[in-house]
Amino acid sequence: RPTMENVQNITPQIAWVGGSDRRLALFENLFPLENGVTYNAWLIKDEKTALIDTVDASVTHQFFASLETALDGRGLDYLVVSHMEPDHCANIGELCRRWPQVQLVGNKMTFQLIRQFHDVDIEGRCIEVQEGQELSLGRHNLRFVMAPMVHWPEVMFTYETTENILFAADAFGTFGGASGNLFSDEVDYAGLYLDEARRYYTNIVGKFGPQVLAAMKKLDGLSPAMICSLHGPVLRGEAIPLLLDKYAHWAAYKPEKQGVVLAYASMYGNTEAVAHKLAALLAEKGVEDLRMYDVSKTHYSEIIAQVFKYSHLVLASPTYNLHLYCPMDTLVRDLAALNVQNRDVAIIGNGSWAPSAHTTLQKMVEEDMKDMRLLAPPMLVRSTLKPEQLPELEALAEKLAASVKEKQ
Ligand code: FEO
């Protein structure tokens, strides 16, 4: 694509040299993007010059144009590699060819992964850093904070101690392309980005809650003036405590809010009708802000984000191939893979012959996931909900409504 530089300063000596890709349909070839994604990279110009990360291959040309412009003829002394996922590291090989003197700053695992991903000779140019080690650039000073498994093993935050800027790798990131307003307090962050920050975190980092809490503990006592994530706006002002609070919930698998997510699968509308009836009963009983999703229509990453947000979950599925309807199977397996836990659950299974969705869901929720509380035995529907089953559905709605209100 034709491109030009697009350097934006975040402080007089620190420039954004990243880019946005709004053409990408699926992040990681998995997650639908409504409005693209940013790949952030930062250049600190001091007595020494240091680049924090490179970018995805899709914005390579803009990145190099911006980097050349920002360097304005100076050399590049350091590349700090926060982690080796290719959306930030696609250009390490080319960077080393263009600036042969650049030294790579990372940890032992970083260098192993660079060798795995890139056909470039990095011997003699690796600075292996340890927890708490510092690197002075002149006025600016970088302190390295290891954040293993947030969400790759070699993840490393960089804290710039003079201007109090946390370079947080993927942490605190979000989907969504840059708008020109680089800072969260120049946009309606909560309105424009928070839902996507939740979807980003829960689906990409969600499995590693304990490791996220451990990394956040290392930040105790620091008061960053800005948090620079590799995706999304620079956090400044209100967005910092907002995101720290959200991360404390998400990483501990604590719901943000009492409420019910109803995720249903339905081939011909019969299971859907049961889900709608249950939703109406819940609303009648005073449950507000119900979130209802057809798993065939709504991408599982959206539903997973809502499951992290709310306290209660209803799963309803027909039996399919003596197991589960495929999109429901994907949703529940991924919830388990992401370590979703500590939720109150209700299950409805449908089957016209050899029904098993109800017991399959129960097994997956109780055996593959931790601390999930079934509020009632799974409800079995045979093809269609019969009037004589309405009291059972009503009782289920009552239990759900009472449980939601109990903790409010
Ligand atoms: Fe945005 Fe872990 O890469």
Side-chain angles (χ1 to χ4, degrees):
R1 282 182 235 171
T3 189
M4 62 183 291
E5 60 80 19
N6 193 357
V7 178
Q8 287 183 267
N9 281 346
I10 61 163
T11 76
Q13 288 179 288
I14 304 181
W16 177 77
V17 290
S20 296
D21 184 356
R22 284 191 168 81
R23 292 189 179 192
L24 185 65
L26 297 174
F27 185 75
E28 293 188 358
N29 217 6
L30 275 179
F31 304 112
L33 293 175
E34 283 292 314
N35 191 27
V37 64
T38 57
Y39 304 105
N40 295 325
W42 318 93
L43 178 70
I44 306 175
K45 281 170 75 176
D46 205 316
E47 290 166 27
K48 298 282 189 184
T49 56
L51 177 67
I52 315 278
D53 283 309
T54 73
V55 293
D56 185 75
S58 61
V59 292
T60 294
H61 298 301
Q62 180 184 323
F63 164 73
F64 278 118
S66 294
L67 184 56
E68 298 269 9
T69 301
L71 281 168
D72 196 20
R74 291 188 60 184
L76 183 61
D77 296 304
Y78 302 111
L79 168 66
V80 177
V81 182
S82 74
H83 73 306
M84 271 304 296
E85 193 156 16
D87 56 332
H88 310 292
C89 294
N91 298 289
I92 288 182
E94 177 60 19
L95 191 95
C96 289
R97 281 184 279 277
R98 291 192 188 207
W99 286 277
Q101 82 291 353
V102 68
Q103 292 188 286
L104 309 179
V105 181
N107 52 58
K108 192 171 180 176
M109 183 90 187
T110 318
F111 300 124
Q112 179 188 321
L113 288 170
I114 292 177
R115 290 184 182 97
Q116 286 175 209
F117 275 110
H118 292 280
D119 181 21
V120 60
D121 182 10
I122 59 170
E123 293 317 310
R125 62 163 75 199
C126 300
I127 301 178
E128 187 179 317
V129 294
Q130 316 288 332
E131 178 77 47
Q133 194 171 328
E134 300 194 349
L135 175 68
S136 174
L137 305 176
R139 193 172 82 85
H140 293 85
N141 182 54
L142 306 181
R143 181 185 301 154
F144 302 104
V145 179
M146 302 301 150
M149 296 318 302
V150 183
H151 58 138
W152 277 38
E154 78 291 9
V155 170
M156 186 172 92
F157 297 164
T158 298
Y159 195 78
E160 197 292 302
T161 60
T162 305
E163 301 200 69
N164 284 314
I165 299 175
L166 174 65
F167 295 94
D170 283 323
F172 310 111
T174 181
F175 298 125
S179 65
N181 293 127
L182 222 48
F183 293 99
S184 62
D185 56 4
E186 297 172 340
V187 296
D188 173 13
Y189 182 86
L192 282 174
Y193 289 103
L194 183 58
D195 283 345
E196 285 294 76
R198 183 185 296 104
R199 188 164 70 98
Y200 177 87
Y201 172 87
T202 55
N203 285 276
I204 292 170
V205 191
K207 183 179 187 65
F208 304 107
Q211 292 88 344
V212 172
L213 290 176
M216 284 177 66
K217 197 156 178 49
K218 294 183 186 180
L219 305 178
D220 277 355
L222 300 177
S223 302
M226 296 179 205
I227 297 181
C228 296
S229 170
L230 291 174
H231 302 286
V234 175
L235 302 180
R236 194 171 65 176
E238 286 174 5
I240 292 179
L242 173 70
L243 262 287
L244 288 173
D245 178 62
K246 294 299 180 194
Y247 267 57
H249 283 83
W250 300 335
Y253 305 100
K254 276 196 231 161
E256 293 167 59
K257 200 172 170 194
Q258 289 296 108
V260 183
V261 175
L262 294 102
Y264 68 86
S266 194
M267 297 162 68
Y268 299 107
N270 291 303
T271 310
E272 181 178 39
V274 183
H276 278 149
K277 188 72 192 163
L278 177 62
L281 290 168
L282 288 169
E284 216 172 76
K285 293 174 192 310
V287 181
E288 295 182 349
D289 195 24
L290 287 159
R291 297 299 168 119
M292 192 161 187
Y293 302 100
D294 180 334
V295 295
S296 298
K297 291 286 180 196
T298 305
H299 193 264
Y300 64 86
S301 63
E302 304 269 3
I303 303 173
I304 283 168
Q306 298 304 312
V307 175
F308 268 78
K309 181 175 178 183
Y310 291 95
S311 56
H312 289 63
L313 173 63
V314 176
L315 298 168
S317 176
T319 304
Y320 199 83
N321 286 334
L322 305 179
H323 183 68
L324 283 183
Y325 195 60
C326 304
M328 178 60 78
D329 185 53
T330 299
L331 171 67
V332 180
R333 279 181 200 278
D334 210 29
L335 285 170
L338 291 167
N339 276 330
V340 170
Q341 51 195 273
N342 183 33
R343 295 295 186 273
D344 293 291
V345 183
I347 288 170
I348 299 169
N350 196 346
S352 298
W353 74 96
S356 65
H358 58 312
T359 50
T360 302
L361 280 171
Q362 179 179 18
K363 193 165 178 300
M364 291 170 86
V365 166
E366 289 190 330
E367 294 180 15
D368 301 342
M369 298 161 84
K370 281 190 280 182
D371 197 14
M372 301 294 268
R373 300 168 292 273
L374 238 59
L375 290 174
M379 182 170 173
L380 169 61
V381 174
R382 284 193 168 263
S383 305
T384 61
L385 186 74
K386 302 293 182 294
E388 56 270 27
Q389 279 193 295
L390 276 174
E392 187 183 353
L393 195 66
E394 173 94 31
L396 185 60
E398 189 56 50
K399 278 191 178 154
L400 274 162
S403 172
V404 168
K405 286 179 199 155
E406 189 184 288
K407 293 166 195 163
Q408 261 168 353

